[in-house]
Amino acid sequence: VSLMKQSGANSVITSSDAVGRLLGLSSMSPSLGTVMEDLLTYGEGLEVAERDLLVSEVGKQPQSLPDQVIAVVRDERVYRYFAYFTIQSNLLVAITSTALARDPLLDRTGWRIARLAGIVGITVTGLVHFFLLRPLLDLDGANWAVDKLLHMVVPVIAIVAWAVAGPRPRASVREAAYALVWPVVWTAWTLVVGQVDGWVPYPFLDADENGWGAVGVACAGITVLFLLLFALFTSLDGKLRPAPR
């Protein structure tokens, strides 16, 4: 067993252990032994399958799902957490806002791009969640609170803070063009990884489920939204009164 694990196996099942457990279970309950034997026989009778959790199922109790849930396996890969555009946009707003709090007159090119990307990104996060994802969710308790914090509270606070405190002027067409690279790369990377890994962070990007036509329409619509918002915030940055004064 140790040799198999050293060779890269993350789970090793020895036949003697499996047979011993099945024999012990059958001795206590012949019916349970029969059921377990059925589950171990692939392609016949009962089947156990593993699948990813859908966005619409996040926060729900296992017994409320349409499938009979035997166990919930927590994915330990950090990538999937940070793959969500929601998490990235919230982090970008947090980082740029912290830097701004430490230095209200901050005015470096990289910071300008990150600040504009964060404001536009968090706005898209709020809009996409409200119109596309919110109807799919059925959350309560802490899950509901975190969902509202990331998708509604932070976007509103970030936009209001930008409108009141700026700093302005800090945006131009050049900064907007560089900031647009982030969502474009995120979308392309997400679609490629989705084909390789079989997992996407949002249901409207699932080509296997919706088809490439629907995914293409969704991506085109969100791209137009990004372009409009970058144009809007860049324009407002030049028209609103300078801040801080």
Side-chain angles (χ1 to χ4, degrees):
V1 174
S2 59
L3 182 60
M4 293 292 291
K5 290 184 176 181
Q6 291 176 12
S7 300
N10 53 23
S11 179
V12 180
I13 300 175
T14 58
S15 57
S16 58
D17 287 344
V19 171
R21 293 191 182 100
L22 184 58
L23 181 61
L25 181 62
S26 299
S27 64
M28 292 185 294
S29 174
S31 298
L32 284 179
T34 301
V35 171
M36 292 304 299
E37 185 179 8
D38 189 3
L39 289 173
L40 292 172
T41 305
Y42 178 75
E44 297 181 8
L46 299 174
E47 293 287 347
V48 177
E50 179 182 352
R51 68 171 178 83
D52 291 323
L53 189 70
L54 302 177
V55 173
S56 58
E57 297 171 341
V58 174
K60 292 184 178 180
Q61 296 297 322
Q63 58 267 26
S64 68
L65 301 181
D67 297 321
Q68 182 64 49
V69 180
I70 297 177
V72 177
V73 179
R74 306 293 182 184
D75 196 331
E76 296 180 352
R77 284 180 289 183
V78 177
Y79 160 75
R80 291 194 176 184
Y81 177 76
F82 289 102
Y84 284 94
F85 192 84
T86 296
I87 301 301
Q88 294 186 19
S89 61
N90 273 269
L91 284 175
L92 197 53
V93 166
I95 292 171
T96 54
S97 297
T98 301
L100 183 61
R102 297 180 62 181
D103 183 5
L105 300 178
L106 188 61
D107 189 21
R108 290 193 289 268
T109 301
W111 183 88
R112 284 188 172 199
I113 296 170
R115 175 67 170 169
L116 182 59
I119 291 297
V120 172
I122 204 68
T123 304
V124 171
T125 292
L127 292 174
V128 170
H129 173 267
F130 187 84
F131 291 105
L132 296 182
L133 300 177
R134 184 179 56 88
L136 303 176
L137 301 176
D138 182 18
L139 307 175
D140 54 25
N143 291 320
W144 179 89
V146 171
D147 175 74
K148 294 298 180 284
L149 176 66
L150 295 178
H151 295 105
M152 299 180 68
V153 176
V154 173
V156 170
I157 292 177
I159 295 171
V160 170
W162 175 86
V164 173
R168 288 185 301 273
R170 292 292 191 277
S172 66
V173 174
R174 179 172 176 268
E175 275 88 23
Y178 279 118
L180 185 61
V181 172
W182 164 48
V184 170
V185 170
W186 177 87
T187 302
W189 176 261
T190 299
L191 294 177
V192 170
V193 172
Q195 291 302 298
V196 175
D197 186 65
W199 178 85
V200 291
Y202 301 105
F204 54 82
L205 295 178
D206 191 346
D208 293 334
E209 182 71 22
N210 305 315
W212 280 107
V215 172
V217 170
C219 290
I222 295 176
T223 300
V224 171
L225 177 61
F226 266 107
L227 291 173
L228 292 175
L229 288 174
F230 272 119
L232 174 64
F233 278 100
T234 301
S235 177
L236 290 175
D237 182 81
K239 292 180 179 179
L240 294 176
R241 64 178 177 84
R245 301 182 69 179

